[in-house]
Amino acid sequence: MNILIIGMGEVGYHVAKVLSEAKHSVTVVDPDPAKIRRASEVLDVQSLLGDGTLPRVLDEADASSMDLILAVTDDDRTNMLSCLLARRMGAAQGIVRVKDLDDYRNYRTLLRRNILFDEILSLEGLAAEEIAKVVRRNQAVSLENFLEGHVTLRVLRVKEKSPMLGKPLRDIHPKGNVLIVAVRREGSTMIPGGDHHFLVDDDIYVLGRPASVEQFEAWVGHHRGRARNVIIYGGSRVAFHAARSLERHGVKIRMMVDDRAASEEFAERLEHSTVLLVDGIDIEAFREEHVGNADAFVAASDVDERNLLSCQIAAKLGCERTIALVSSSDYVDIYEEIGIARAVSPRLLCSDAIMKRVQAGKLQQLAAFDEGRAKVCTVTLSKGSPLLGKSLVEAKFPKDCLVGAIQRQGERGSEVLIPKGDDVLEEDDELILFMLSTVEQRVFEHLSH
Amino acid sequence: MKSGPLDLSSLFHEGAVVDLRPGDKEGALRELCAITAESPRVRDGAAFCRAIFEREKLVSTGIGIGVAIPHVKIPSVEDYVITVGRAAHGIDFDAIDGLPVRLIFMIAASDQQTSEFVRVLAAIVKLIKTPGIQARLLEAAMPADFCAVLREACP
């Protein structure tokens, strides 16, 4: 692929490195001579000194022949403008990085149509979702979250006396609006049809809104301990978004915030969390809050060193699941070696997200299961898609592929639907597809024709 | 310094590498503090020593596998000073893995060096994870050979 990267900060550099090592043809643009020098000396890329919002510079970078433009400077406006110009010049796809998705949440469709990007990514958003996922990961259940945490996928084992037993799937009317997207039995994974009968010890993949999936779990008599006692340290955007994502999943948070303005904002905007203002890292405050007993301790301040130290203290006090936000991807392994259970690097997550996009082409893979035999992908229906205006039944997706959720852009922001057969597909719908890998190519073709 | 690779070896020098006298954690820290405070970059040795002990009270800087990295950043330090202590006898440092400490890297830094500190820490952790390096450091003749091993192995 021909890929143009605007911005050689840490994200741009890391992505350029990974992409060029994967033998893509990469061109990088940055106005800083030192960054361009470093890129041209260390990486196998074409580098160009200049302002990526200038048509002249984009032309020189050959934007018109690009398969993908990545606008990843730390300035939202630069990224939007670079992407727009490059796409107008002829670049086939665009990814835009922004600081805070919240600022754009209700205008995604408007922006997508007018700025012409295919994906909008925020480092903070990616980090917050990753933290929420790690906090909620339970030894007994594997799970993934999609659509910024509005849709969740869980794996549950069918037990004796389950209401799932003894009748075909079409006659099972579970509590909670969920979809059973797959079944794993004796090592093979299948997508169940209406006449499917479940057996004891089947693993079922359940997809739905977090609250619905929890209702469903209660209905089948599946009770698991969930993280109830979670502490988040820090006053960053990541801390805020992680707390809000966890709130959506019914987790109550105690926040220890080291910044007065942030603590006031959090107290106002977080409905179910307790917010405490703390002065730096005070071990007495950690003791008073019984940090050692927390199911998880998340350190997400803007200062690496504080995150490291506060996690070390939490571990010392007895907390087993410590999660530290770390600004540089270089430290991830090191943190995990010195007693931090998990280090989360926004930049690494961002480049992973971009790599997934590059590798998948149109159909973007979100998660894979059973050694890749089943996967969850997402696709956005653009203008001209043959599926627009069709109901899901009429859209006739290939066998072994299910539409698990739809994110629809309305006038006042987006909503998430767990679809039924008669739901009609609209332009800009973002579909979450669950499929067996054997049909991936067919699904891809189905979406393209 | 932020974006370029960190040259850890430039931060070590022979005068700041010592074999510690037998003793406990407190004695080791005091001995290393005294040597560190001899550097002109450390303007207030007493304040530095107090800060080191305060930090140690929060949580031990014994990061495991026989290594401790006591460190502080304070205004009265101008720039990095790293002092390395070797304790063949092993010191109970209350380390995270409970093992006795044989190598101590003491770091003094200016309070302006917030983001870089973790880089220095990361570089030291990378260094001591190099296979065989700890044994070589513990066996090297002091101080010249020890420094040579450090420089050679520096990431």
Side-chain angles (χ1 to χ4, degrees):
Chain A
M1 256 177 143
N2 292 322
I3 299 168
L4 174 60
I5 303 177
I6 308 295
M8 272 288 104
E10 257 203 86
V11 175
Y13 185 84
H14 193 81
V15 173
K17 182 167 183 283
V18 178
L19 288 172
S20 59
E21 281 167 2
K23 300 291 170 221
H24 291 284
S25 165
V26 177
T27 305
V28 304
V29 173
D30 197 286
D32 180 345
K35 287 180 178 158
I36 286 298
R37 200 179 321 120
R38 180 169 172 232
S40 61
E41 281 169 7
V42 184
L43 304 177
D44 183 17
V45 298
Q46 299 278 336
S47 51
L48 181 63
L49 181 68
D51 176 348
T53 63
L54 291 177
R56 172 179 60 75
V57 173
L58 290 169
D59 219 11
E60 204 181 325
D62 212 5
S64 61
S65 68
M66 290 295 161
D67 299 302
L68 176 65
I69 168 169
L70 304 171
V72 292
T73 74
D74 60 4
D75 181 70
D76 290 11
R77 291 174 209 186
T78 301
N79 295 340
M80 298 242 178
L81 188 52
S82 299
C83 179
L84 171 61
L85 288 172
R87 290 278 277 112
R88 284 276 182 233
M89 286 174 162
Q93 287 189 64
I95 297 180
V96 166
R97 170 190 169 192
V98 296
K99 284 208 175 62
D100 195 334
L101 277 177
D102 255 16
D103 293 335
Y104 305 100
R105 191 164 304 275
N106 294 344
Y107 302 96
R108 260 178 114 130
T109 306
L110 178 97
L111 287 167
R112 200 196 297 266
R113 282 185 188 154
N114 291 294
I115 306 290
L116 304 175
F117 62 78
D118 298 272
E119 188 153 5
I120 186 164
L121 290 175
S122 131
L123 294 192
E124 290 75 5
L126 289 166
E129 276 313 315
E130 180 71 11
I131 287 171
K133 198 166 112 184
V134 175
V135 166
R136 297 178 58 240
R137 186 168 291 152
N138 188 300
Q139 291 73 12
V141 230
S142 61
L143 62 92
E144 289 282 341
N145 291 326
F146 309 109
L147 300 176
E148 286 142 31
H150 289 288
V151 172
T152 191
L153 176 70
R154 273 186 215 161
V155 183
L156 303 173
R157 179 151 294 183
V158 177
K159 295 180 182 163
E160 284 174 32
K161 295 185 191 163
S162 166
M164 309 282 294
L165 296 170
K167 50 191 159 192
L169 175 57
R170 74 168 62 82
D171 293 334
I172 299 173
H173 301 290
K175 211 167 174 180
N177 182 17
V178 297
L179 284 178
I180 295 167
V181 293
V183 185
R184 186 173 53 205
R185 179 181 298 167
E186 289 163 6
S188 77
T189 305
M190 58 199 131
I191 308 262
D195 51 359
H196 184 87
H197 276 81
F198 293 98
L199 299 177
V200 173
D201 286 343
D202 280 355
D203 283 328
I204 54 174
Y205 290 70
V206 183
L207 187 135
R209 284 194 196 79
S212 304
V213 173
E214 264 168 41
Q215 266 187 332
F216 177 81
E217 281 182 74
W219 181 72
V220 295
H222 193 101
H223 299 288
R224 67 197 170 83
R226 69 170 163 183
R228 288 185 183 282
N229 180 4
V230 175
I231 297 177
I232 299 181
Y233 174 86
S236 66
R237 303 317 299 164
V238 175
F240 173 75
H241 287 301
R244 211 173 49 176
S245 175
L246 286 164
E247 278 193 342
R248 274 202 286 271
H249 290 275
V251 181
K252 285 184 183 162
I253 317 282
R254 273 177 297 153
M255 302 211 61
M256 302 177 81
V257 181
D258 54 354
D259 174 286
R260 179 172 294 277
S263 77
E264 284 165 7
E265 186 204 338
F266 292 4
E268 195 181 304
R269 294 181 65 192
L270 293 171
E271 284 175 40
H272 308 291
S273 302
T274 315
V275 180
L276 299 162
L277 179 63
V278 294
D279 183 17
I281 293 174
D282 174 1
I283 195 160
E284 281 316 310
F286 276 51
R287 285 214 178 89
E288 273 167 36
E289 287 303 313
H290 302 286
V291 166
N293 298 333
D295 295 321
F297 178 87
V298 178
S301 81
D302 285 322
V303 184
D304 276 350
E305 201 187 326
R306 281 196 186 172
N307 295 342
L308 178 58
L309 178 58
S310 59
C311 274
Q312 284 176 324
I313 294 173
K316 184 86 192 166
L317 293 174
C319 178
E320 286 182 2
R321 203 180 296 181
T322 51
I323 302 156
L325 184 67
V326 48
S327 67
S328 172
S329 48
D330 296 343
Y331 306 151
V332 170
D333 295 342
I334 285 154
Y335 272 39
E336 291 174 4
E337 297 232 14
I338 57 178
I340 309 298
R342 181 65 191 268
V344 170
S345 154
R347 287 173 174 82
L348 203 57
L349 293 169
C350 185
S351 63
D352 285 353
I354 289 171
M355 285 308 289
K356 270 186 191 168
R357 175 103 209 170
V358 170
Q359 285 157 352
K362 192 173 180 185
L363 210 54
Q364 189 194 350
Q365 182 176 319
L366 298 176
F369 304 92
D370 292 345
E371 290 146 16
R373 281 193 284 266
K375 50 182 67 176
V376 176
C377 296
T378 179
V379 68
T380 301
L381 298 181
S382 51
K383 198 170 184 169
S385 162
L387 303 181
L388 298 182
K390 290 185 180 167
S391 72
L392 277 184
V393 173
E394 292 162 349
K396 287 205 177 80
F397 276 88
K399 186 175 172 294
D400 291 333
C401 170
L402 277 179
V403 179
I406 301 174
Q407 176 153 272
R408 179 158 297 165
Q409 313 292 335
E411 300 223 328
R412 270 178 288 155
S414 57
E415 57 168 340
V416 173
L417 312 172
I418 304 299
K420 299 190 175 61
D422 55 358
D423 279 321
V424 175
L425 296 169
E426 295 179 7
E427 187 179 339
D428 288 323
D429 277 355
E430 187 171 350
L431 311 185
I432 300 291
L433 304 170
F434 192 101
M435 68 187 80
L436 299 187
S437 302
T438 48
V439 299
E440 188 178 357
Q441 187 57 31
R442 240 178 295 153
V443 174
F444 182 75
E445 287 162 11
H446 190 69
L447 289 161
S448 314
H449 292 157
Chain B
M1 167 157 178
K2 199 174 179 217
S3 54
L6 177 74
D7 181 12
L8 189 61
S9 65
S10 68
L11 300 174
F12 297 119
H13 57 102
E14 287 185 18
V17 177
V18 292
D19 268 321
L20 294 165
R21 288 191 291 268
D24 60 2
K25 175 177 176 179
E26 189 184 332
L29 287 173
R30 288 205 185 286
E31 194 177 345
L32 287 169
C33 278
I35 297 167
T36 307
E38 283 169 15
S39 163
R41 292 176 178 180
V42 179
R43 290 197 300 266
D44 184 342
F48 171 73
C49 191
R50 265 198 311 279
I52 281 283
F53 277 88
E54 283 295 314
R55 168 60 185 81
E56 212 62 37
K57 258 193 260 170
L58 278 176
V59 63
S60 170
T61 56
I63 59 162
I65 60 164
V67 176
I69 312 180
H71 57 273
V72 288
K73 298 187 322 271
I74 49 172
S76 60
V77 171
E78 274 164 26
D79 201 350
Y80 283 110
V81 182
I82 298 184
T83 310
V84 189
R86 187 166 77 165
H89 52 288
I91 298 170
D92 178 5
F93 220 84
D94 194 21
I96 55 171
D97 59 0
L99 294 175
V101 162
R102 292 195 162 80
L103 286 168
I104 305 176
F105 295 80
M106 178 174 279
I107 309 172
S110 142
D111 62 338
Q112 302 298 316
Q113 288 167 314
T114 297
S115 64
E116 289 168 11
F117 169 74
V118 179
R119 287 163 55 79
V120 174
L121 177 70
I124 292 176
V125 173
K126 222 177 246 180
L127 166 75
I128 58 169
K129 292 278 178 182
T130 312
I133 191 73
Q134 289 202 46
R136 287 177 64 200
L137 286 172
L138 289 169
E139 285 158 16
M142 283 293 227
D145 288 358
F146 186 92
C147 279
V149 175
L150 268 184
R151 293 220 170 82
E152 181 198 321
C154 267

